[in-house]
Amino acid sequence: MVASCDSQRSVFRRIAQQSYAEWPAYDSTSLYDRSSLAGLKEDIWTVASTWFDHQAHHSVDEFVSHYPVAYVEFGPHVRYSGAIQYEMAQLFRLFLLKELHGWAHETALLTYLTHHPELHEQLDIETVPDQSTLWRSWHERFTTELRETIEAAARTILIKAQNAGVAVPREPERSFPSQDDEASKSDPDDQTVLDEAASITDHISHVVFPAFSLNRGDGCEIHENAYWDLQTYLGLRERLAANEGARSFVHESTRDRTPLGHAHREHIRDLSIEQIREMYRRAVNQLLDEVAETEEFFRAGIVAIDITEADPFTGDRTGHEDEIIGTKEKTDEYAYQWATVQLVGNAVPIVLDARPVRKGETRKEIVEDLLNSAEELVHIDNVLMDREFDSQHILEMLSQRGLSYVVPKRMQTSEKAQAKRLLQRGQDRYETDRKLHLGKNEWHETTLIYRRQEDSEHDDHRQYSVFMTNTSSAYLTEYGYRWEIESGYKSIKRFMAATTSKDFGLRFFYFAFACLLYSIWRAVDLLVQVELTDDYEHSPIVTADNTLTLLKKETGIG
């Protein structure tokens, strides 16, 4: 089968139905226009991600021939004018084909076209350019930025095709392209790391931030990007509120017009919780696709679900009792609470989704909601949770979804008695099967694992912890990965803007945007490590402050 009008229509219909993708990019966000090369790269990524899933699409050559470029304005990327025989769109396709096959010289492209005359019509060329015309076009007519765009687009197409099981003419590089191919791979110095991070941060920000929108309509004097610029600026400064931050931002920003603090807050307050979550999921999906192109990223893996709380609320919460709820430790204090699901283990620790916690919501509802979202983004094998989620109904739900779990159990009378017996016998570890009552004569079967803590401060039965799992006890060691989510919360809260507002949507947006900044930092660090060392260690070599500063410096977004 070959690409047809029907198959192409099917691809673009699927793209139109995706909540996280828009095509073409310039028509869906004010960030790009028709001459934007960043927009063109994003569009090729969007189409290639779906194109090769169609059973009729099994050729990268066909992708080059059929990809629509009529909307692209190549004019700003041409270095000389005058009478020309070949349009830029035609030459763009020819050089994209050359890059896909990895040919170093134009002669190989000409030979290929000679042996495949059917490509002439598909590429919309009557006569094949000669070698000198092609050489001049690439080296003298195309700007450096356009050449780099073609190289990046070819890499994207090859990776998407290969991921879909389509034969490709050459093996694509699955590490992020470097600005400096001579950079040391063994022990990169601080400047090398910073230079590489600048390139990658700039690229990722142009992929991720267009997922956010304030829906302000046309004709606004202050560009929407300025609002995201200000929000990122607030994240750069610890405990900085919008009013104070907006006044400082006027002097530090290169923009002619920047939003006032109250205007910024008003636009954020107009967003619903669901709008914020949907925008966040779109952005994270784009981010995942960037890091998934490296071999060091593992999509199949482990997630941790947890709830964190803001600083204790000391004001009057009248009318907000369902939102400013008690703390997790059941003290007499009140606080806003947020729940997240995050990649842990071998994967880069990206926050897949975040949601607020309201009074009356069950832990089961929260877990189901977050898993529904996360499973649309990644494949999940195992779920790690804290003991506040040790409900048998949650565990049964996880098992019915085909997921493994490791969850610590709160020790009741029977568990305390068993721990005392283990202590008397000097036994460090013990396993036993247990049936947990679900009601109506229904039971959930799980395994209880008792484990003695070597450095416990207690000398009685409290030396033991009890875990529940529906898989091998060997997976108990994975629970140690859960510390990453607690460590992540510390950084996320560091990235949050300060506010005394009780507005629930504003509060949640500040938390969600901080989660995004944290996730961008960890993604940038992964890509920098892979590029400079061909490996990935969880200890970051790019600092969070560096990433945020680069977001502010390198882009019009932040």
Side-chain angles (χ1 to χ4, degrees):
M1 298 177 68
V2 296
S4 64
C5 292
D6 288 340
S7 69
Q8 294 175 68
R9 190 179 301 112
S10 175
V11 166
F12 286 98
R13 185 181 296 118
R14 282 183 58 191
I15 293 172
Q17 293 170 347
Q18 293 171 352
S19 62
Y20 56 83
E22 298 282 354
W23 187 92
Y26 81 88
D27 200 30
S28 59
T29 172
S30 56
L31 177 64
Y32 305 129
D33 57 30
R34 291 176 61 180
S35 65
S36 169
L37 295 180
L40 175 58
K41 285 191 289 187
E42 182 176 329
D43 285 347
I44 288 178
W45 175 90
T46 298
V47 178
S49 297
T50 302
W51 180 274
F52 296 105
D53 289 336
H54 196 285
Q55 61 181 356
H57 298 168
H58 48 74
S59 165
V60 295
D61 288 4
E62 284 188 347
F63 182 91
V64 175
S65 301
H66 294 288
Y67 181 82
V69 294
Y71 72 93
V72 181
E73 290 184 355
F74 289 103
H77 313 292
V78 179
R79 291 195 293 190
Y80 66 79
S81 59
I84 55 173
Q85 182 178 355
Y86 298 97
E87 299 295 333
M88 284 294 293
Q90 296 173 312
L91 294 171
F92 174 81
R93 294 186 195 277
L94 286 173
F95 285 109
L96 185 57
L97 184 66
K98 175 178 176 289
E99 187 64 29
L100 283 169
H101 285 265
W103 294 316
H105 303 288
E106 292 76 16
T107 304
L109 171 62
L110 296 176
T111 302
Y112 188 76
L113 291 173
T114 301
H115 289 89
H116 295 82
E118 71 280 1
L119 280 176
H120 298 184
E121 181 178 353
Q122 294 175 10
L123 295 171
D124 193 28
I125 54 174
E126 295 182 3
T127 59
V128 178
D130 57 31
Q131 189 273 340
S132 62
T133 299
L134 290 173
W135 190 94
R136 286 195 306 272
S137 296
W138 181 258
H139 292 279
E140 298 178 359
R141 187 176 180 185
F142 286 17
T143 62
T144 301
E145 292 76 15
L146 180 55
R147 294 198 299 267
E148 291 175 349
T149 297
I150 292 173
E151 292 166 352
R155 176 176 170 272
T156 295
I157 295 165
L158 289 170
I159 289 174
K160 297 302 181 184
Q162 192 174 63
N163 288 348
V166 173
V168 294
R170 67 178 177 89
E171 186 73 19
E173 295 181 6
R174 286 183 175 263
S175 60
F176 204 89
S178 171
Q179 277 190 322
D180 182 5
D181 292 335
E182 301 302 318
S184 170
K185 296 284 186 177
S186 55
D187 187 20
D189 58 36
D190 291 344
Q191 189 57 51
T192 300
V193 169
L194 195 59
D195 290 344
E196 190 66 29
S199 173
I200 293 174
T201 303
D202 181 52
H203 172 77
I204 283 184
S205 63
H206 282 82
V207 171
V208 170
F209 279 102
F212 279 77
S213 173
L214 290 174
N215 300 318
R216 296 185 304 147
D218 299 327
C220 297
E221 292 185 9
I222 300 178
H223 199 285
E224 181 171 300
N225 293 351
Y227 290 86
W228 310 132
D229 198 348
L230 174 58
Q231 189 66 41
T232 305
Y233 179 79
L234 298 178
L236 279 166
R237 305 292 189 270
E238 206 161 356
R239 309 302 301 167
L240 185 62
N243 280 345
E244 180 186 354
R247 288 192 293 268
S248 301
F249 189 58
V250 169
H251 304 290
E252 295 202 32
S253 174
T254 58
R255 295 183 179 278
D256 295 331
R257 296 289 303 275
T258 58
L260 298 174
H262 72 274
H264 180 74
R265 291 196 307 274
E266 286 176 4
H267 284 302
I268 299 300
R269 281 196 289 259
D270 287 340
L271 298 172
S272 68
I273 298 294
E274 281 309 311
Q275 284 177 316
I276 296 170
R277 292 188 66 191
E278 178 62 23
M279 290 189 297
Y280 184 89
R281 288 190 289 260
R282 290 181 189 175
V284 168
N285 187 75
Q286 302 277 45
L287 191 62
L288 287 172
D289 273 293
E290 290 297 316
V291 297
E293 294 183 1
T294 69
E295 294 178 356
E296 287 73 13
F297 176 78
F298 299 91
R299 283 209 162 204
I302 310 166
V303 298
I305 294 176
D306 206 348
I307 294 175
T308 189
E309 56 197 32
D311 293 336
F313 186 84
T314 57
D316 180 9
R317 67 186 189 109
T318 302
H320 300 270
E321 292 87 351
D322 292 342
E323 301 164 353
I324 310 173
I325 58 181
T327 62
K328 294 196 297 178
E329 298 300 325
K330 305 301 180 185
T331 67
D332 58 356
E333 295 180 324
Y334 296 96
Y336 292 91
Q337 292 187 13
W338 322 113
T340 64
V341 56
Q342 176 180 311
L343 287 170
V344 293
N346 288 327
V348 58
I350 288 174
V351 180
L352 299 174
D353 195 12
R355 74 185 307 279
V357 179
R358 294 181 174 88
K359 184 178 180 180
E361 292 180 318
T362 67
R363 293 296 188 255
K364 182 172 180 286
E365 292 171 336
I366 293 170
V367 173
E368 281 187 303
D369 182 26
L370 291 174
L371 284 178
N372 288 339
S373 175
E375 288 190 309
E376 290 183 359
L377 298 172
V378 297
H379 174 78
I380 298 173
D381 291 320
N382 200 357
V383 181
L384 308 178
M385 294 180 292
D386 201 356
R387 57 176 41 87
E388 65 181 302
F389 296 97
D390 73 347
S391 159
Q392 60 267 40
H393 297 284
I394 294 177
L395 304 183
E396 177 66 14
M397 178 267 293
L398 294 175
S399 292
Q400 289 180 355
R401 296 174 81 120
L403 299 173
S404 303
Y405 62 79
V406 178
V407 182
K409 188 180 189 306
R410 284 172 282 203
M411 295 181 71
Q412 307 297 337
T413 302
S414 61
E415 288 81 35
K416 292 176 182 178
Q418 181 62 59
K420 291 177 182 178
R421 289 191 291 270
L422 294 174
L423 181 61
Q424 291 174 353
R425 297 196 295 262
Q427 189 172 341
D428 293 336
R429 192 181 180 100
Y430 174 73
E431 294 184 25
T432 182
D433 292 334
R434 173 76 65 86
K435 288 186 177 181
L436 305 176
H437 190 226
L438 296 170
K440 297 182 180 179
N441 202 31
E442 295 181 339
W443 303 83
H444 173 73
E445 296 184 2
T446 190
T447 298
L448 266 55
I449 304 175
Y450 291 76
R451 188 176 66 179
R452 191 175 187 173
Q453 299 173 341
E454 295 180 358
D455 56 350
S456 175
E457 61 183 15
H458 303 289
D459 57 5
D460 56 10
H461 70 277
R462 289 175 292 178
Q463 296 178 42
Y464 291 87
S465 296
V466 186
F467 294 86
M468 297 178 290
T469 183
N470 59 349
T471 186
S472 167
S473 61
Y475 283 85
L476 189 60
T477 57
E478 292 185 348
Y479 192 76
Y481 292 138
R482 224 198 116 267
W483 71 268
E484 295 174 5
I485 201 167
E486 297 292 348
S487 175
Y489 281 149
K490 293 180 181 178
S491 295
I492 289 167
K493 291 176 181 179
R494 155 69 179 81
F495 298 154
M496 287 182 64
T499 183
T500 57
S501 172
K502 298 178 189 176
D503 187 272
F504 200 45
L506 178 69
R507 289 265 186 171
F508 175 62
F509 180 85
Y510 280 8
F511 177 77
F513 200 87
C515 288
L516 183 61
L517 294 178
Y518 170 79
S519 298
I520 290 175
W521 164 39
R522 299 309 302 256
V524 168
D525 178 70
L526 165 69
L527 295 173
V528 170
Q529 287 196 45
V530 170
E531 176 58 32
L532 297 183
T533 70
D534 289 328
D535 198 5
Y536 175 59
E537 299 291 339
H538 272 71
S539 180
I541 66 173
V542 179
T543 69
D545 284 343
N546 280 345
T547 302
L548 292 178
T549 301
L550 291 169
L551 280 171
K552 176 176 176 287
K553 176 182 177 182
E554 298 293 338
T555 76
I557 303 299

